Amino acid sequence: MILQSMGIYNFNYIRSINALNFGYALYLLLKDKKIDVQERDYIVRRFVMLSLLTQRFSGSSESQIDLDIRKFDETNPQKHLADSEAAQLSDAFWNHTLFQRLETNQIGPIHYIYLFTQIKDKNIGFLSQPTSVQSMLDMHGDIHHIFPKNYLRKNGVNDKRDYNQIANYAMVQKEINIKISDKAPNEYLNALGLSRDDSNVIKNFKENAVPMNLFDMDVDNYQEFLALRRRLMATKIKDYYYGL
């Protein structure tokens, strides 16, 4: 239930089993210490996500796990959480490290954390009213290229490391994906009859961390788009973390 409250409803999206194992050990420890239920769940949520964000328990992590368990057992649990956040989740992490980790074409831990933010907030898929991101994941819905792959390739962006950037991905209904086809964003948004002044469109763009100036963009703006969206995705992940 704690994990589901974080948007983690499918463990296949967790690449670090150590983070989940530690979270369960921490849960049992805090329960044994008679920590208040709300405080216990808060600490577990935050520390599990801190571990996933920072890859705290990747590789040979036994010594780090032992150290953290000792700290939570021997000191005030809230203090060890706060100390860990101060050490690992500084402004440098949120503004630079996380931004750089979003600069990838590999669907991996950071992409799934972004999806957890959308699941927790019950966000609707991009241009896909009323279907939620979680519903599309349940139904193996389409991961759509916001700048369509064929459109980019026809216009000289031929390296899959460029057109398959995770900042170019969004969950989209198949029917919408078909309508978008291989058009430039400024063309397909107009063809779909969408307006940048529509409150529902503004809300949907925000839920999917998509910049509103997509309405004006074509291939010449692709790198600018990626940078803007990475920043919006990083901000969404940060807001999600501090909302846990």
Side-chain angles (χ1 to χ4, degrees), residues 152-184:
L152 289 173
R153 293 181 68 181
K154 286 193 301 185
N155 286 277
V157 183
N158 295 308
D159 191 328
K160 67 180 180 181
R161 291 173 297 183
D162 293 326
Y163 59 70
N164 280 345
Q165 286 286 308
I166 64 170
N168 194 30
Y169 287 149
M171 296 300 299
V172 180
Q173 282 179 312
K174 185 180 292 291
E175 296 81 1
I176 298 295
N177 208 357
I178 292 170
K179 290 179 181 178
I180 287 171
S181 184
D182 57 359
K183 302 181 183 75

Side-chain angles (χ1 to χ4, degrees), residues 53-199:
L53 278 168
T54 62
Q55 302 176 338
R56 190 178 184 90
F57 300 130
S58 60
S60 299
S61 57
E62 292 83 359
S63 60
Q64 183 64 61
I65 289 173
D66 289 343
L67 175 62
D68 282 324
I69 285 292
R70 272 204 322 276
K71 289 283 190 180
F72 275 115
D73 191 26
E74 296 170 0
T75 65
N76 181 302
Q78 284 270 23
K79 183 178 186 304
H80 182 52
L81 171 63
D83 288 346
S84 300
E85 289 178 332
Q88 294 201 274
L89 299 181
S90 65
D91 288 343
F93 174 82
W94 295 116
N95 296 330
H96 301 289
T97 304
L98 182 57
F99 185 86
Q100 289 173 344
R101 287 184 58 200
L102 288 164
E103 194 172 345
T104 179
N105 67 321
Q106 300 296 319
I107 293 182
I110 197 64
H111 183 251
Y112 291 123
I113 289 171
Y114 169 72
L115 291 177
F116 297 154
T117 75
Q118 293 199 286
I119 294 166
K120 178 179 180 294
D121 291 341
K122 298 180 173 58
N123 290 161
I124 301 301
F126 185 52
L127 310 179
S128 300
Q129 189 72 25
T131 309
S132 70
V133 169
Q134 181 171 340
S135 294
M136 281 189 276
L137 288 169
D138 286 339
M139 297 182 291
H140 307 289
D142 284 6
I143 295 181
H144 163 64
H145 292 75
I146 298 173
F147 272 72
K149 178 174 67 176
N150 288 339
Y151 167 75
L152 289 173
R153 293 181 68 181
K154 286 193 301 185
N155 286 277
V157 183
N158 295 308
D159 191 328
K160 67 180 180 181
R161 291 173 297 183
D162 293 326
Y163 59 70
N164 280 345
Q165 286 286 308
I166 64 170
N168 194 30
Y169 287 149
M171 296 300 299
V172 180
Q173 282 179 312
K174 185 180 292 291
E175 296 81 1
I176 298 295
N177 208 357
I178 292 170
K179 290 179 181 178
I180 287 171
S181 184
D182 57 359
K183 302 181 183 75
N186 58 2
E187 293 181 32
Y188 71 68
L189 291 171
N190 182 61
L192 290 170
L194 300 175
S195 167
R196 71 177 76 216
D197 299 320
D198 186 307
S199 60

Side-chain angles (χ1 to χ4, degrees), residues 40-57:
R40 177 198 68 199
D41 292 359
Y42 165 81
I43 293 170
V44 172
R45 278 195 297 268
R46 293 282 278 257
F47 207 82
V48 166
M49 186 48 59
L50 179 150
S51 304
L52 292 173
L53 278 168
T54 62
Q55 302 176 338
R56 190 178 184 90
F57 300 130

Side-chain angles (χ1 to χ4, degrees), residues 190-232:
N190 182 61
L192 290 170
L194 300 175
S195 167
R196 71 177 76 216
D197 299 320
D198 186 307
S199 60
N200 290 324
V201 172
I202 294 170
K203 181 174 184 288
N204 186 252
F205 272 51
K206 183 176 181 180
E207 288 185 353
N208 288 276
V210 175
M212 289 303 297
N213 43 355
L214 186 70
F215 274 88
D216 304 315
M217 289 182 165
D218 60 19
V219 68
D220 293 333
N221 310 109
Y222 182 56
Q223 293 303 323
E224 175 191 358
F225 162 78
L226 291 177
L228 288 170
R229 188 156 193 253
R230 288 182 194 117
R231 184 62 61 202
L232 291 173

